[in-house]
Amino acid sequence: MRFDPPGTRILPAARGAAFRLPAGGRVRIVNPHGTQAVDLWAFAMADPDEFLSMDHLRSVNSVVAVDRGTRLVSNRRRPMLSIVEDTSAGRHDTLLCPCNASLYEELGCVGYHRSCADNLHEGLAAIGIEVPFTPASLNLFMSVRVEPDGTITRLLPSSRPGSHVLLRAEMDLVLALSSCPQDVTTINGPDRTPRDCAVEIVEVAPAGEPA
Ligand SMILES: [Zn+2]
């Protein structure tokens, strides 16, 4: 599946994809049902050791959740992405780790279960990129609440059907997305059903830029 030309594609339930997004390129992530969490990662196209960092964006912005206006920075504190539009409930989570095989084992799943971590690495591999670590993800459409005693509460999804987030690349990026396969907890809604999302590449860099 190619994601880099402009146009809209389905990000199937429980699946992921990675694609190159040159500086100035914009991508709209649409949540048709309003319930689906979408894990997002970004890497500098020139050097994947520079990546969108939840630790650093919390430090730079003094926030634990992402809204319009939050500076989405790398581990080198450089702007990587901007939120141009957000019609969702906002307060996108930065605290919870992307799901991985160990989590599903802990939840009692037997045999292979798809995960956001595997979706990230499969998506990167499909475009010839290997990253030997899994950064913390920006969890779009997922919200948690930090309680006064320091614990966190996982909230049910509360975005309206058809909500979207429009992002603009502030540097040449590799963007990776995972439609979270979580079907044991209610993070993707009370019926525990992962669903498709849509990804629209709105704009890419002028001809001559790497695609
Ligand atoms: Zn997940």
Side-chain angles (χ1 to χ4, degrees), residues 13-15 36 98-120 122 178-185 187-188 192-194:
R15 297 283 169 166
Q36 180 62 45
C99 60
N100 64 5
S102 305
L103 171 66
Y104 291 107
E105 198 179 312
E106 191 178 294
L107 291 172
C109 297
V110 177
Y112 181 69
H113 193 294
R114 299 200 65 79
S115 70
C116 287
D118 285 357
N119 283 342
L120 165 66
E122 283 178 15
S178 169
S179 191
C180 180
Q182 178 58 267
D183 57 1
V184 183
T185 74
I187 207 76
N188 289 316
R192 298 173 166 79
T193 303

Side-chain angles (χ1 to χ4, degrees), residues 74-92:
S74 73
N75 53 325
R76 296 175 193 162
R77 302 178 86 93
R78 301 199 300 158
M80 297 195 96
L81 287 162
S82 295
I83 299 179
V84 180
E85 296 172 10
D86 185 355
T87 66
S88 76
R91 298 192 52 76
H92 307 278

Side-chain angles (χ1 to χ4, degrees), residues 41-55:
W41 298 264
F43 300 87
M45 206 187 287
D47 176 8
D49 281 344
E50 182 171 16
F51 54 87
L52 181 65
S53 168
M54 298 306 101
D55 299 3

Side-chain angles (χ1 to χ4, degrees), residues 2 13 42 46 77 81 93 95 112 126 135 164-165 173 175 204 209:
R2 280 182 63 85
R77 302 178 86 93
L81 287 162
D93 173 57
L95 295 172
Y112 181 69
H164 73 262
V165 175
L173 295 177
L175 205 65
V204 294
E209 291 286 324

Side-chain angles (χ1 to χ4, degrees), residues 29-180:
I29 301 156
V30 184
N31 202 328
H33 301 274
T35 53
Q36 180 62 45
V38 177
D39 288 30
L40 178 148
W41 298 264
F43 300 87
M45 206 187 287
D47 176 8
D49 281 344
E50 182 171 16
F51 54 87
L52 181 65
S53 168
M54 298 306 101
D55 299 3
H56 294 82
L57 82 77
R58 288 193 292 264
S59 168
V60 164
N61 297 279
S62 298
V63 297
V64 296
V66 163
D67 279 306
R68 274 192 71 178
T70 305
R71 285 169 288 166
L72 303 180
V73 299
S74 73
N75 53 325
R76 296 175 193 162
R77 302 178 86 93
R78 301 199 300 158
M80 297 195 96
L81 287 162
S82 295
I83 299 179
V84 180
E85 296 172 10
D86 185 355
T87 66
S88 76
R91 298 192 52 76
H92 307 278
D93 173 57
T94 71
L95 295 172
L96 295 184
C97 57
C99 60
N100 64 5
S102 305
L103 171 66
Y104 291 107
E105 198 179 312
E106 191 178 294
L107 291 172
C109 297
V110 177
Y112 181 69
H113 193 294
R114 299 200 65 79
S115 70
C116 287
D118 285 357
N119 283 342
L120 165 66
H121 294 290
E122 283 178 15
L124 291 175
I127 56 171
I129 297 172
E130 186 180 345
V131 173
F133 55 91
T134 302
S137 47
L138 170 57
N139 303 313
L140 293 175
F141 309 109
M142 185 194 297
S143 56
V144 306
R145 185 173 58 225
V146 180
E147 307 292 357
D149 66 0
T151 58
I152 58 175
T153 301
R154 291 162 172 80
L155 303 173
L156 288 172
S158 59
S159 292
R160 289 188 312 278
S163 298
H164 73 262
V165 175
L166 178 64
L167 300 166
R168 181 181 64 237
E170 302 298 343
M171 65 169 76
D172 291 345
L173 295 177
V174 174
L175 205 65
L177 300 169
S178 169
S179 191
C180 180

